[in-house]
Each structure stands twice: as structure tokens, then as C-alpha cells.
Amino acid sequence: MIPLNIIREKTDWVIERLAVKNFKAADTIHAICELDDKRKETQKSMDGKLAEANALAREIGILYKSGKAAEADQMKQQSATLKEEARVMSEQLATLQNELNALHVTLPNLPHESVPIGKSAEDNQIVKEEGGIPELPENAIPHWDLATKYDIISWELGSKVTGAGFPFYKGQGAKLQRALINFFLEEGISAGYGEIQPPLLINEDSGFGTGQLPDKEGQMYHCTVDNLYLIPTAEVPITNIYRDVILRAQDLPIKNIAYSNCFRREAGSYGKDVRGLNRLHQFDKVEIVQIANPEKSYEILEQMVEHVSNLLRKLELPFRILRLCGGDMSFTSALTFDFEVWSAAQKRWLEVSSVSNFESFQANRMKLRFKDENGKTQLAHTLNGSAMALPRIVAALLENNQTDEGIRIPAALQKYTGYSMIVQNR
RNA sequence: GGAGAGAUGGCAGAGUGGUCGAUUGCGGCGGUCUUGAAAACCGUUGACCUGAAAGGGUCCGGGGGUUCGAAUCCCUCUCUCUCCGCCA
């Protein structure tokens, strides 16, 4: 959530900035300000009543002790009145607070000043493009056919046992998955990230903390019996470690990396977008998360972008980096860079990573703070990025590296796969 | 799943109805001493709301109740520990 004091102090500016995300905020913002005024007023008068009641209770105590019970009994009536008044006000206060919150949570994060204006993915800004686009022979085929040809992924078994979007990985395919996971983790650990294995189910508070709830409830698998959600990304459990925590300035930045399965319902997608590995309900991802001092967060965002770039270079995949426009950014992000790899047989770019700075938006929701150099507690910044999501990397590796002899594995990956080529009939 | 015990400030640990937001120890921070450090000694040290400030209010796992007054009593939920059962 955008901190309330910013909404109060820079009201017009907030409305202006949210317009970049194509969000018309004026009515909501003004309603919030009004409710906040009422809230303060009510709180003040309630505090006054409570202060009187407290003073009275103290007096009554003293009177009883000194044996003046009759006098004390008289004062009880007065106290009851005060208490009733305070109770009414506290109910009003709760109502106001609820109304205010309900509006507050509907506001998306403020976009960073560098975010381009735009409505959709077409308005994203290409920051950089790297690596040559490979020329494939005439008989090149897309990854879903390659996967079947080499018997490394079974779509049919997935549909049979679970449903579409839940493939089985087999043999060299399963080993490739494991190799990529290890590769990404080891690269991250070398870059100073601490490895964590999180739970795959999270509770409601955690879903709220990182912003999946209440906004994107339908995107997550929900175990209603226990009211737990399957994680859509390791970002959720890893960031929520620091929910309701006050860190010390010297603890920052905190750098964590986690491999996890990710589960997404992806309601409403169809067609070529979901073919093969392009979009799955369950997939593997290695995620990097940082908790940062606000002064350093954009520097850190750059470092994370560089980290992901290096992974793609080592995998010898052509990629481009996009600066997302206001209309294509997520609800929670202040600035996002997307990474796309070229999938040579499909002849299209596939998103494989998204690196974002959330500034204090998540931190405010989950009360993640730190004590700065002056001993003041303030909200930290949170950042995260995929480093990386496996399926589309696999798609690009398969398609781009297909040869008549088999599928070539990039050198950097071979020590993890234990083989240099995916071949038939193993 | 069954039985019992417990949840207090960064940690440890007092406090069982009345100036308790909370004794004390450790840790942290500042200082004295020292060439420097350690030790010792002195001081300081929770969060949130409101307020220019002084001040006021709220918070002793969460929620509700009893009472003039609750960390302290009652109800309820969650979590932790011990024992039993089950189990990768």
C-alpha cells in the first residue's frame, strides 16, 4: 500500500502518478483523505474520554484504599458514562478504519518516474537486445514436438494424471530440469544470495503481505479445508519471512534465493500462448529476493538485472530487456524489467524473468521496517526477480539448439546435466 | 488425533486485580577510565496512533467478556513444549 502520509502530503501528485498506470484515483484518494480526517477527529475525542476514565479509575482506587468507599461508589456512575461514550466512539473508529482500508488496498503502487506511459505490452520500452538470433534449418520443429521426439516430456501423462498444464518430465528432460535448478541456485549463491527452501503453501496474511490477496485471489490454488494457498512464486513465502519485523540498518541488504514449484491457475488463457511449455499451471522457478535500504534499492535493482543477464549469457540464449510501461506493470510494482528469450522455432519472444522494485508497497502491507542510522524506524524496500523460470528457458534451449544429431547443451550447463547432447532412444 | 503445560520488551526471566508499559540480568547504544581494546563504573535502550510541542491514547500471542480499574480473573482461537498414538 502507498503509505498514508504520502497520500496526505502529496495528494495531487499521487493522483497524477497513478494515472501513468491508467488508474483513475482522484475519487478514491479524496475519499481516503476525508475518512482519515474523520478518523483522527474521532480518535482524539475517544482518547480524551479514555484519559478521563483512566484518571477517574485511579482516583477511585485511592479512595477505596483510604477507606472512603461511599465517595468512590458515587464516582462509578460517572465512569460508566465515560466508558459508554468511549465505546460508541471506538465503534465509529473501527468503521471508519475499515472503510478507509477498503479503499486504500485498491490503490496500486506508484510507478517510478522512469516508467514509460502506455496501455499494453506493445508500449513497453526495449532497453537492450543481446545475442544473435539463430537461423534454424528448414526442418526445425517447436519444442513441444522436440520434447516428444526425444521423449523428455510427456504431455499426455500430465493430462491423464492431473490435467493440461501439468507435464511429466522424463529421463534427460528431468535431469535437465534438475541441472537448471542447480545452475541457477549456484550462480545465485556465488553472487551472495542465501539459499532457502520455503513452504509451498501460505496463509492469508502472507498472501496479503506481498499483494496477491485480495487482488488476485483467483490466480492461486486454494486449499479451502485449511484455508491455505499454493504459492504462485517463492516471492510470497520468502518476502513474508520479514513480515512484522524491524531490521537493523546494518542487516541490509538481505539477499535470499529460493527454488520452488510455482502454481498458477492462469484462468482465461488459451491458444498458442499455452502450447507446450509456454504456460503451465505448475512450473519450477528460482527466485531472488532482496530487502533493501530505500536509498539503495534502485542500485540493487540494476544489480539484479545484471545478474539475470549473466545467467542468459551463460546459457547462450538471445534475450532482450524491457522496461514495462504503466499499463503493463503489476499492481504492486514501482518499476519492472522483463526479460524475454528468443524461441527460434516458434519465432517469438518468451518472458522468462521479471525483476521488480516494489519500494515500500509490500513493506507497508506487511510492516517490514528497519531502524535507520538515526534510530528512526522506517519502511524498507523489497525487490525480487526470477532467476529464473524454467519452462520457457527449456523451450528456448530445445528449439534454438536443435541439430540433426540431437539437442546441444550450452557449456555452462554441462557440469550439471552430465551430458552435452540430448539424443534419441536413451 | 488424545492428555497436560505454556505464550510478558532483541534475548533470558519477574510480575496473579490498583500510579505496571511493566523489577532484574544479558545484549545494544552513549560516556568515564585507557595509547587502543577488554574489564569496571555511570547513563540510556520497545512499537503504534494523535499532537508544532508539552501531553494524551493503545499494545504483556489474537479476539471477546467480567470490573470503577486487568499482564494478572473468565471464554474462545492460534501457536509452542512434554507425553501417547500415527507416520515419510
Side-chain angles (χ1 to χ4, degrees), chain A residues 205-264:
Chain A
D205 285 346
S206 297
F208 179 81
T210 30
Q212 280 74 23
L213 294 175
D215 192 44
K216 289 182 255 174
E217 169 134 35
Q219 295 288 348
M220 288 189 288
Y221 288 97
H222 187 190
C223 305
T224 50
V225 182
D226 300 294
N227 198 24
L228 295 173
Y229 295 85
L230 279 162
I231 59 172
T233 159
E235 161 200 347
V236 180
I238 299 297
T239 313
N240 272 285
I241 292 172
Y242 305 97
R243 171 151 51 82
D244 289 319
V245 168
I246 301 178
L247 297 158
R248 299 171 304 174
Q250 67 261 37
D251 295 333
L252 302 176
I254 290 178
K255 302 171 71 174
N256 285 322
I257 186 165
Y259 155 71
S260 85
N261 298 114
C262 302
F263 303 89
R264 298 189 183 175

Side-chain angles (χ1 to χ4, degrees), chain A residues 102-122:
Chain A
L103 291 176
H104 198 175
V105 298
T106 63
L107 295 178
N109 198 6
L110 295 164
H112 185 254
E113 55 187 10
S114 72
V115 168
I117 308 281
K119 285 200 180 71
S120 68
E122 278 143 47

Side-chain angles (χ1 to χ4, degrees), chain A residues 37-73:
Chain A
D37 285 337
K38 279 190 208 159
R39 199 202 91 236
K40 283 185 186 178
E41 213 176 282
T42 311
Q43 168 108 43
K44 254 198 236 173
S45 20
M46 186 185 80
D47 284 355
K49 295 293 177 192
L50 288 174
E52 277 185 63
N54 285 344
L56 213 54
R58 234 169 282 147
E59 277 182 59
I60 292 172
I62 292 165
L63 287 174
Y64 271 123
K65 273 198 170 166
S66 50
K68 299 174 182 166
E71 279 180 58
D73 286 338

Side-chain angles (χ1 to χ4, degrees), chain A residues 82-96:
Chain A
L82 283 171
K83 197 187 158 189
E84 175 57 18
E85 285 172 335
R87 191 190 60 78
V88 171
M89 288 179 194
S90 118
E91 274 173 21
Q92 287 171 353
L93 196 64
T95 309
L96 288 167

Side-chain angles (χ1 to χ4, degrees), chain A residues 49-216:
Chain A
K49 295 293 177 192
L50 288 174
E52 277 185 63
N54 285 344
L56 213 54
R58 234 169 282 147
E59 277 182 59
I60 292 172
I62 292 165
L63 287 174
Y64 271 123
K65 273 198 170 166
S66 50
K68 299 174 182 166
E71 279 180 58
D73 286 338
Q74 279 186 333
M75 294 173 84
K76 282 190 188 179
Q77 181 53 42
Q78 211 180 329
S79 175
T81 313
L82 283 171
K83 197 187 158 189
E84 175 57 18
E85 285 172 335
R87 191 190 60 78
V88 171
M89 288 179 194
S90 118
E91 274 173 21
Q92 287 171 353
L93 196 64
T95 309
L96 288 167
Q97 188 70 63
N98 285 342
E99 287 173 20
L100 197 157
N101 278 343
L103 291 176
H104 198 175
V105 298
T106 63
L107 295 178
N109 198 6
L110 295 164
H112 185 254
E113 55 187 10
S114 72
V115 168
I117 308 281
K119 285 200 180 71
S120 68
E122 278 143 47
D123 302 315
N124 294 336
Q125 204 175 74
I126 298 173
V127 178
K128 135 190 301 191
E129 203 169 314
E130 238 188 273
I133 303 292
E135 281 298 320
L136 294 185
E138 280 301 306
N139 60 349
I141 53 176
H143 71 268
W144 48 86
D145 291 332
L146 288 165
T148 306
K149 175 177 173 188
Y150 290 97
D151 194 26
I152 51 176
I153 299 174
S154 173
W155 317 104
E156 294 75 15
L157 285 180
S159 320
K160 173 187 171 184
V161 173
T162 306
F166 294 91
F168 278 75
Y169 302 89
K170 301 163 65 181
Q172 283 189 300
K175 189 84 180 276
L176 177 61
Q177 294 279 112
R178 196 146 51 83
L180 283 166
I181 292 161
N182 278 328
F183 169 67
F184 293 141
L185 282 174
E186 291 302 332
E187 291 289 321
I189 291 164
S190 305
Y193 290 89
E195 184 180 353
I196 294 186
Q197 281 193 23
L200 303 181
L201 288 138
I202 47 115
N203 60 28
E204 238 174 309
D205 285 346
S206 297
F208 179 81
T210 30
Q212 280 74 23
L213 294 175
D215 192 44
K216 289 182 255 174

